[in-house]
Amino acid sequence: MRLAFFLFCLLCSTILPAHAAKTVLVMGDSLSAGYGIRPEQAWPALLGARVAEKRLDYSVANLSISGETTAGGRSRLEAALKAQRPAVVVIALGANDGLRGLPLGQMRDNLAAMIDAARASGARVALAGMRLPPNYGPYAEDFRRSFVDIAQAKKVPLVEFLLEPVAAHQRYFQADNLHPVADAQPLILDHVWPTLAPLLK
């Protein structure tokens, strides 16, 4: 019996990693959840593949939900931090706040609270911004500036516009003209990567 137990322990030591990978937690909306495409095609899933390819000691937990607002993300974050214990948190929320014309002061408060909560848990934070069509008028510029102001105030790295590399090309969008197709996802990841990579210490 003692020999069997020793052999079992030896086997476990060879097949289990010496320590668990650190986690990158993505809190986003449909643009990160992979709406209209397979989940494994979305940019957070491609991020998981990239860190594995580069042999970085990270895994990716994508807790993005289609339709999510900053208020929804804020309400879910505490439980997500406890469950995932992330080393890095990517906050990619706000698009639905803007499309619904929600008060920008509330959006900024929610983003700031999420950044503070993530940092209090010991995680490093990156913020991904969004933009609105010009027909939203002055609200669109205030919306864009909100992400810049929050990033500067909280001193977090910012991807100013998550969809920057694909926004001007209709071929990269589904029929609704809102959600990127699978072919757009590697371009989005390449856009996010320079901001995120320094946080993967």
Side-chain angles (χ1 to χ4, degrees):
M1 179 67 73
R2 191 172 296 174
L3 177 60
F5 180 76
F6 172 77
L7 292 174
F8 173 77
C9 292
L10 181 63
L11 176 63
C12 287
S13 69
T14 61
I15 64 174
L16 295 178
H19 56 280
K22 292 169 284 189
T23 300
V24 178
L25 173 62
V26 180
M27 296 289 292
D29 48 37
S30 57
L31 300 176
S32 300
Y35 177 90
I37 59 177
R38 297 195 306 274
E40 64 270 21
Q41 294 176 312
W43 74 263
L46 301 183
L47 171 63
R50 178 167 295 185
V51 296
E53 178 185 339
K54 291 182 175 294
R55 298 185 178 181
L56 299 175
D57 188 29
Y58 284 89
S59 61
V60 176
N62 185 14
L63 299 191
S64 302
I65 297 178
S66 294
E68 187 74 292
T69 62
T70 57
R74 180 178 181 177
S75 70
R76 291 193 299 120
L77 183 59
E78 182 178 356
L81 292 172
K82 288 180 179 178
Q84 301 294 333
R85 301 185 181 278
V88 177
V89 175
V90 180
I91 301 172
L93 289 166
N96 290 305
D97 296 64
L99 291 174
R100 298 175 190 180
L102 299 179
L104 294 179
Q106 292 180 13
M107 183 184 81
R108 289 190 291 268
D109 288 346
N110 290 331
L111 291 173
M114 292 183 73
I115 292 169
D116 289 344
R119 279 182 163 164
S121 76
R124 298 178 290 278
V125 183
L127 179 64
M130 188 48 54
R131 295 189 185 165
L132 294 173
N135 63 307
Y136 277 76
Y139 180 89
E141 175 57 22
D142 291 344
F143 177 82
R144 181 198 70 80
R145 187 70 200 178
S146 292
F147 295 97
V148 176
D149 291 345
I150 287 292
Q152 290 177 347
K154 295 297 181 179
K155 295 181 171 56
V156 297
L158 172 68
V159 179
E160 284 202 32
F161 182 23
L162 180 65
L163 302 184
E164 179 76 40
V166 301
H169 306 284
Q170 189 174 3
R171 69 181 182 275
Y172 286 128
F173 287 86
Q174 299 173 40
D176 61 10
N177 290 320
L178 291 173
H179 297 97
V181 297
D183 286 348
Q185 303 299 316
L187 300 177
I188 296 171
L189 174 59
D190 286 344
H191 179 54
V192 171
W193 183 252
T195 301
L196 183 57
L199 302 182
L200 304 179
K201 300 175 182 177

